[in-house]
Amino acid sequence: MVSRSYSNLLELASGGCSPTFGLGREKKRLPRVATVAGVLSELDDDSCNSTGSDALSSVSQDRMIVVGNQLPIRAHRDENGEWEFSMDEDSLLLQLKDGLGEDVEVIYIGCLREEVDPREQDDVAQTLLDRFKCVPTFLPPELFSKFYHGFCKQHLWPLFHYMLPLSPDLGGRFDRSLWQAYLSVNKIFADKVMEVISPDDDFVWVHDYHLMVLPTFLRKRFNRAKLGFFLHSPFPSSEIYRTLPVRDELLRALLNSDLIGFHTFDYARHFLSCCSRMLGLSYQSKRGYIGLEYYGRTVSIKILPVGIHIGQLQNVLNLPETVSKVAELQERFKGQTVLLGVDDMDIFKGISLKLLAFEQLLRQHPERWGKAVLVQIANPARGRGKDVQEVMAETTATVDRINATFRRPGYEPVVLINTPLQFYERNAYYAIAECCLVTAVRDGMNLIPYEYIICRQGNEELDNVLGLNPSTPKKSMLVLSEFIGCSPSLSGAIRVNPWNIEAVTEAMDSALVIPEAEKQLRHEKHYRYVSTHDVAYWARSFLQDLGRACRDHSMRRCWGIGFGLGFRVIALDPNFRKLSVDHIVSVYKRTCHRAILLDYDGIMMLPGSISMNPTSEALGILNNLCKDPKNVVFLVSGKDRKTLTEWFSQCEKLGLAAEHGFYLRPNHTADWETCVGVTDFDWKQIAEPVMQLYTETTDGSTIETKESALVWNYLYADPDFGSCQAKELLDHLESVLANEPVSVKSGQHIVEVKPQGVNKGIVAEHLLQTMKEKGMLPDFVLCIGDDRSDEDMFEVITSAKATLPPGAEVFGCTVGQKPSKAKYYLEDTHEILRMLQGLTHASEHAARAAPQMTTMTTTTTTTPHRVVISESK
């Protein structure tokens, strides 16, 4: 199948950067996969400009590109030294295919577990592509080591599991070269995606923390790419995550996805808190969906724990090997109660805590001697390092001590299995275990309890081996750490704090003595959930939400801004465009009656300036605009009238609107007047004490008292606490002021109480109405603002266009590229001032030209008169 990517092999061969539009829609073979692993020298690859992928689709069916660190492939050499490949049935990436539907083609991109000689990589890549629809990424060993064992396992994995690098032995200091390797590998993965993607049609699903910056590289290439990301590990609280030196880069990279998935609400909540505290972004929940507004795009948040492949597990349970293994274990542990632990050998699985709790159980309950057996299956660690060796040594020493203390003839209290087991062997242990123990101190999901539940449900053959009546309800018990992802979904489990050895001991004992009927009820509840929320359900739900998150792509105008990992895509209404200075100056020159409305705070104040006072440049521009007799200029601000009077005393013809339009003054000599007939401000005596209460309890918050309004500001308070307090304050004020003629509204870091009907829109209405009454109905309206309070003005001038003279031009302009009721934007204050300067130059030029035109007209008309008078004599 020919890719629409700009970096596919056909384009690379021709050296072009533009897409080939002449290709038909017939299905074609995927291009041969490139195998050269590049090294990232710079973050920006601008050899071809980022585009919105307007090429025609080359596929006629839905296609999902699944990207993970490892391909779902098993590889080994046969006796002749030839490579043999097979699908890895245990891989989650392969199992999720069951939920995508038969009509969805799936292509996998990832690494092989085995190293392939560079001379064989082309042939291996083509074989995997042809037979398994897999695109391998071959990484040089040194680069892979820095990427995986370095940045992923030394920095991200410990931090995401709440381990801070407080010393060189705990994760190590941040190494910039490892970060550079991480970026290089993500860029290589992006190149592989680009070889096969059809960006207008394909969905891309990226998995886990190994590829967190991949969305940025893909989004930069294809602005409308349909990108989903799922994090399979925990996401730490902001206090932990903020210690990462590249924290902002990773957050912004994830936000280039359309949908971000997490196992639990806690993980999602931590991510949203980090976005709020570090990027200033807020989220909203609408109709059950959580979304983050990010430069006009809505990044959706998905919360759904992954499930297991029920069919595969049941097939293994039906194997003769499983049945015979269960019979063997049943005989081995005859007359004993088996408690089972299955964990990877790493520092976060809490194996030693589990062993200590079991040791205490035997000490406190001598009657358990000879009867209770803990079988601990220790899977090989995925990482490597000193900490793994320490965990292995500690585990072995603890097991030896317990067995030496409580061993009896025919009784081994703890059975430690630290050699790899076949899947059917592990399932056999599940089937005979009375209780499953998971005491991890931190784990992303952990599917061991799910597998245990299904295996305890069993089948007829296993029931016969175990001596169970098939008609009798099955039973199982779970003791789970409250710090693992599956804990919230298994509500019938006994949840424990694994650090509390006494509590874990008590939970073990409870699991053994609980009544049979209770065990059956808990098992039934768990089995019902696990069997209906399998991996297919998880994948199907994610794909549905990804489709929903991407459905507006074609209706939005997208373009990219920013460099490197700061790149992001702006997605706005197609009619929203940048204001051309030449165009507005041209219209300005040919119009006769102009209404100009300017917001002060975001227009006249330079960004980053501490001073609130207007600059001399801004005052000069306002004065020059006001000198033009064709102009009526109003400055609108939330400031009080005293401050505005002092600041703009030099601008005698400038109209001012203070406190968002409550007070108006058409020029310097006129008196202030109110647009809303309000004389009673007794409500302040009710509202101010309430605000004062929240100010005292919210460090960093302040109260701004205006003549017509009260504003509670929490800009410098803790973002989460301030936002929480603002919601409480809003409800409190709405309750106590329910019978007062005021409106209570929340804004950007504020809660404001003001008289009803007061907003900047009434300033626009007042100006247009006044000009109409004076016979000066404007044929040019310009309104510039930068925040939500200015949207009322944009709405008024847009709706008023129908009442203006034919051909009248209306320009609503916001500052920055963001969703707005304005139809135009300029990037920043500097561009606004430059545009206004262009208007003043046009006025000055017209003023200079006027006397000359008058002189020419006088000369032209008087000369004939003189001639006429002379002839009459």
Side-chain angles (χ1 to χ4, degrees):
M1 185 178 299
V2 179
S3 167
R4 291 300 182 187
S5 164
Y6 292 177
S7 57
N8 65 30
L9 298 186
L10 294 178
E11 292 165 344
L12 286 175
S14 63
C17 286
S18 300
T20 303
F21 293 99
L23 299 175
R25 289 181 58 86
E26 68 272 12
K27 299 258 284 189
K28 297 188 177 183
R29 187 181 181 186
L30 285 164
R32 187 174 180 82
V33 179
T35 58
V36 178
V39 177
L40 185 65
S41 58
E42 292 189 24
L43 294 180
D44 297 306
D45 180 13
D46 292 324
S47 59
C48 296
N49 292 329
S50 174
T51 67
S53 60
D54 295 322
L56 294 173
S57 169
S58 62
V59 293
S60 57
Q61 68 179 93
D62 288 334
R63 192 167 70 161
M64 172 72 80
I65 299 175
V66 178
V67 190
N69 177 48
Q70 290 187 340
L71 287 172
I73 293 290
R74 298 183 190 271
H76 67 276
R77 292 186 184 274
D78 61 17
E79 56 187 14
N80 298 320
E82 298 295 327
W83 282 107
E84 287 190 356
F85 302 102
S86 62
M87 298 301 287
D88 183 2
E89 300 294 334
D90 296 336
S91 172
L92 175 67
L93 301 189
L94 178 64
Q95 294 172 357
L96 65 81
K97 185 177 179 180
D98 287 2
L100 303 182
E102 295 181 358
D103 58 335
V104 178
E105 180 186 5
V106 180
I107 294 178
Y108 297 100
I109 296 177
C111 298
L112 287 171
R113 294 181 178 87
E114 292 72 19
E115 186 177 342
V116 179
D117 189 282
R119 294 169 296 182
E120 300 176 292
Q121 288 178 1
D122 280 346
D123 292 335
V124 168
Q126 195 63 51
T127 299
L128 293 177
L129 184 61
D130 292 341
R131 290 179 55 192
F132 305 104
K133 293 184 179 178
C134 290
V135 179
T137 53
F138 298 110
L139 304 176
E142 182 181 356
L143 180 62
F144 177 81
S145 180
K146 286 185 174 181
F147 156 71
Y148 184 77
H149 297 293
F151 192 78
C152 290
K153 289 299 181 182
Q154 185 176 320
H155 290 312
L156 288 183
W157 188 73
L159 188 78
F160 279 23
H161 288 75
Y162 285 72
M163 190 170 98
L164 291 174
L166 299 175
S167 70
D169 294 334
L170 295 174
R173 303 299 186 213
F174 185 80
D175 188 337
R176 186 66 60 171
S177 68
L178 301 182
W179 165 242
Q180 200 68 25
Y182 183 81
L183 294 177
S184 297
V185 171
N186 275 254
K187 184 65 166 61
I188 293 171
F189 270 81
D191 292 339
K192 291 298 179 183
V193 174
M194 291 175 191
E195 289 176 11
V196 298
I197 189 174
S198 182
D200 286 333
D201 301 287
D202 297 347
F203 291 93
V204 181
W205 189 354
V206 183
H207 289 264
D208 223 2
Y209 61 90
H210 314 90
L211 302 171
M212 289 177 72
V213 299
L214 179 57
T216 286
F217 291 126
L218 295 178
R219 184 69 67 191
K220 185 175 183 180
R221 204 69 181 88
F222 305 110
N223 290 346
R224 291 190 179 90
K226 304 169 184 176
L227 294 176
F229 180 92
F230 198 94
L231 183 67
H232 293 274
S233 76
F235 196 93
S237 66
S238 61
E239 287 75 14
I240 300 293
Y241 180 79
R242 71 197 313 168
T243 63
L244 188 65
V246 290
R247 61 191 191 183
D248 289 358
E249 290 89 333
L250 290 179
L251 286 180
R252 292 191 184 280
L254 288 179
L255 290 171
N256 275 317
S257 306
D258 294 297
L259 178 65
I260 306 174
F262 300 92
H263 286 306
T264 71
F265 175 69
D266 275 349
Y267 303 160
R269 177 170 56 87
H270 293 157
F271 173 76
L272 294 171
S273 176
C274 289
C275 290
S276 172
R277 290 174 177 271
M278 294 162 213
L279 303 181
L281 303 177
S282 58
Y283 71 92
Q284 289 184 335
S285 180
K286 186 176 181 181
R287 295 183 179 178
Y289 295 104
I290 300 175
L292 276 165
E293 286 298 323
Y294 188 61
Y295 291 92
R297 295 172 49 245
T298 299
V299 181
S300 298
I301 304 299
K302 175 77 172 175
I303 302 169
L304 184 66
V306 69
I308 60 175
H309 196 292
I310 306 293
Q312 178 195 2
L313 203 56
Q314 291 175 337
N315 290 338
V316 173
L317 289 176
N318 292 329
L319 293 175
E321 297 94 326
T322 306
V323 177
S324 61
K325 184 65 178 180
V326 170
E328 174 192 330
L329 295 176
Q330 181 77 349
E331 180 63 27
R332 176 181 175 182
F333 296 106
K334 188 175 182 179
Q336 297 176 339
T337 302
V338 175
L339 291 85
L340 178 66
V342 181
D343 305 279
D344 292 344
M345 186 66 79
D346 70 52
I347 58 177
F348 297 112
K349 293 301 186 287
I351 296 177
S352 60
L353 299 176
K354 184 189 307 177
L355 292 172
L356 292 175
F358 183 71
E359 181 181 27
Q360 186 163 312
L361 175 70
L362 296 180
R363 291 188 186 278
Q364 293 180 357
H365 300 275
E367 69 276 11
R368 302 289 183 199
W369 292 13
K371 297 180 180 179
V373 176
L374 173 60
V375 177
Q376 177 61 55
I377 300 174
N379 301 319
R382 300 181 187 180
R384 63 188 184 188
K386 181 180 178 182
D387 56 336
V388 174
Q389 303 301 322
E390 290 176 349
V391 170
M392 293 177 62
E394 181 185 10
T395 300
T396 302
T398 306
V399 170
D400 291 343
R401 186 184 72 245
I402 295 173
N403 286 339
T405 304
F406 300 100
R407 181 185 290 117
R408 292 179 178 180
Y411 172 63
E412 192 84 358
V414 180
V415 178
L416 177 62
I417 304 173
N418 53 11
T419 56
L421 291 180
Q422 295 291 329
F423 191 34
Y424 78 88
E425 293 179 297
R426 194 171 75 191
N427 289 349
Y429 277 101
Y430 287 144
I432 60 108
E434 187 72 16
C435 177
C436 182
L437 310 172
V438 182
T439 56
V441 297
R442 189 70 60 179
D443 207 351
M445 184 59 192
N446 201 312
L447 296 175
I448 297 301
Y450 286 19
E451 295 177 353
Y452 169 71
I453 294 297
I454 297 300
C455 290
R456 288 292 287 180
Q457 185 67 18
N459 55 41
E460 281 193 30
E461 289 190 68
L462 292 180
D463 288 345
N464 292 332
V465 172
L466 295 172
L468 301 176
N469 184 348
S471 62
T472 303
K474 301 301 191 303
K475 61 181 180 177
S476 63
M477 282 302 300
L478 289 169
V479 175
L480 300 183
S481 165
E482 60 191 47
F483 302 121
I484 63 176
C486 66
S487 178
S489 58
L490 298 173
S491 57
I494 302 176
R495 297 194 183 100
V496 295
N497 174 4
W499 298 102
N500 188 339
I501 304 299
E502 291 76 14
V504 178
T505 299
E506 185 179 344
M508 288 182 179
D509 186 57
S510 298
L512 297 177
V513 302
I514 201 168
E516 296 294 302
E518 180 71 15
K519 292 180 181 180
Q520 293 169 357
L521 287 174
R522 293 184 185 225
H523 173 81
E524 181 185 358
K525 184 176 186 179
H526 291 159
Y527 180 74
R528 186 165 56 246
Y529 175 84
V530 173
S531 60
T532 55
H533 292 73
D534 61 355
V535 67
Y537 173 87
W538 171 75
R540 184 165 55 250
S541 179
F542 190 90
L543 179 58
Q544 288 173 352
D545 278 11
L546 181 57
R548 179 187 55 80
C550 300
R551 65 187 175 194
D552 292 336
H553 277 198
S554 60
M555 301 188 307
R556 310 290 280 176
R557 193 161 56 94
C558 301
W559 65 95
I561 62 172
F563 299 97
L565 293 177
F567 177 84
R568 61 267 190 204
V569 166
I570 305 295
L572 298 169
D573 187 279
N575 296 321
F576 188 70
R577 56 190 182 275
K578 189 167 185 176
L579 181 59
S580 167
V581 176
D582 292 339
H583 174 62
I584 192 172
V585 170
S586 173
V587 174
Y588 182 85
K589 288 178 179 179
R590 67 172 184 261
T591 50
C592 299
H593 302 297
R594 312 182 189 112
I596 300 176
L597 290 151
L598 305 174
D599 169 58
Y600 173 75
D601 299 328
I603 306 306
M604 296 295 162
M605 284 180 56
L606 293 177
S609 174
I610 298 177
S611 174
M612 302 286 288
N613 294 18
T615 63
S616 57
E617 179 187 10
L619 292 173
I621 290 174
L622 290 175
N623 261 327
N624 289 334
L625 286 175
C626 293
K627 287 178 182 177
D628 192 326
K630 296 181 180 180
N631 294 344
V632 178
V633 185
F634 252 88
L635 191 78
V636 188
S637 174
K639 304 296 181 186
D640 61 85
R641 53 181 174 172
K642 179 181 178 182
T643 301
L644 294 182
T645 300
E646 293 175 356
W647 284 354
F648 298 100
S649 58
Q650 303 175 29
C651 305
E652 296 184 355
K653 295 183 179 180
L654 177 66
L656 295 175
E659 302 189 14
H660 290 171
F662 185 82
Y663 292 107
L664 291 177
R665 191 184 70 180
N667 55 63
H668 185 66
T669 59
D671 294 329
W672 287 94
E673 57 185 75
T674 59
C675 283
V676 180
V678 177
T679 58
D680 182 8
F681 291 97
D682 290 343
W683 55 266
K684 285 188 176 183
Q685 298 176 16
I686 304 173
E688 191 165 12
V690 176
M691 286 188 174
Q692 189 62 43
L693 174 64
Y694 284 81
T695 303
E696 292 172 358
T697 57
T698 311
D699 188 36
S701 64
T702 57
I703 300 175
E704 181 183 357
T705 302
K706 302 179 182 180
E707 291 184 71
S708 66
L710 288 174
V711 181
W712 187 74
N713 189 308
Y714 61 98
L715 176 63
Y716 300 109
D718 178 90
D720 288 340
F721 184 57
S723 177
C724 178
Q725 290 288 81
K727 293 176 183 176
E728 290 291 329
L729 176 59
L730 185 70
D731 290 340
H732 196 159
L733 289 173
E734 286 179 341
S735 175
V736 299
L737 297 174
N739 297 322
E740 301 293 334
V742 296
S743 62
V744 184
K745 292 186 177 181
S746 61
Q748 189 72 9
H749 300 117
I750 65 166
V751 174
E752 183 176 26
V753 184
K754 60 184 179 181
Q756 290 176 349
V758 175
N759 60 65
K760 292 183 179 180
I762 63 175
V763 181
E765 293 175 349
H766 175 84
L767 175 59
L768 297 177
Q769 183 61 31
T770 302
M771 293 183 70
K772 179 180 180 181
E773 292 172 354
K774 293 181 178 180
M776 299 170 52
L777 197 60
D779 51 4
F780 175 96
V781 179
L782 171 63
C783 179
I784 307 177
D786 75 321
D787 61 22
R788 284 189 294 179
S789 65
D790 301 309
E791 297 297 310
D792 294 318
M793 290 196 293
F794 297 143
E795 186 174 6
V796 168
I797 65 170
T798 301
S799 60
K801 186 173 182 179
T803 65
L804 300 180
E809 296 279 359
V810 175
F811 298 91
C813 180
T814 189
V815 182
Q817 304 172 38
K818 58 178 181 285
S820 173
K821 293 176 182 176
K823 290 189 175 181
Y824 300 92
Y825 74 91
L826 288 173
E827 293 289 357
D828 51 34
T829 303
H830 296 289
E831 287 197 359
I832 296 290
L833 293 177
R834 194 157 52 245
M835 183 271 292
L836 294 177
Q837 193 72 56
L839 300 185
T840 62
H841 288 163
S843 292
E844 291 170 355
H845 183 269
R848 286 195 300 269
Q852 298 177 8
M853 290 295 296
T854 303
T855 303
M856 291 176 61
T857 303
T858 304
T859 303
T860 304
T861 56
T862 55
T863 301
H865 279 288
R866 288 175 182 172
V867 173
V868 172
I869 293 172
S870 174
E871 290 177 345
S872 65
K873 286 184 177 180

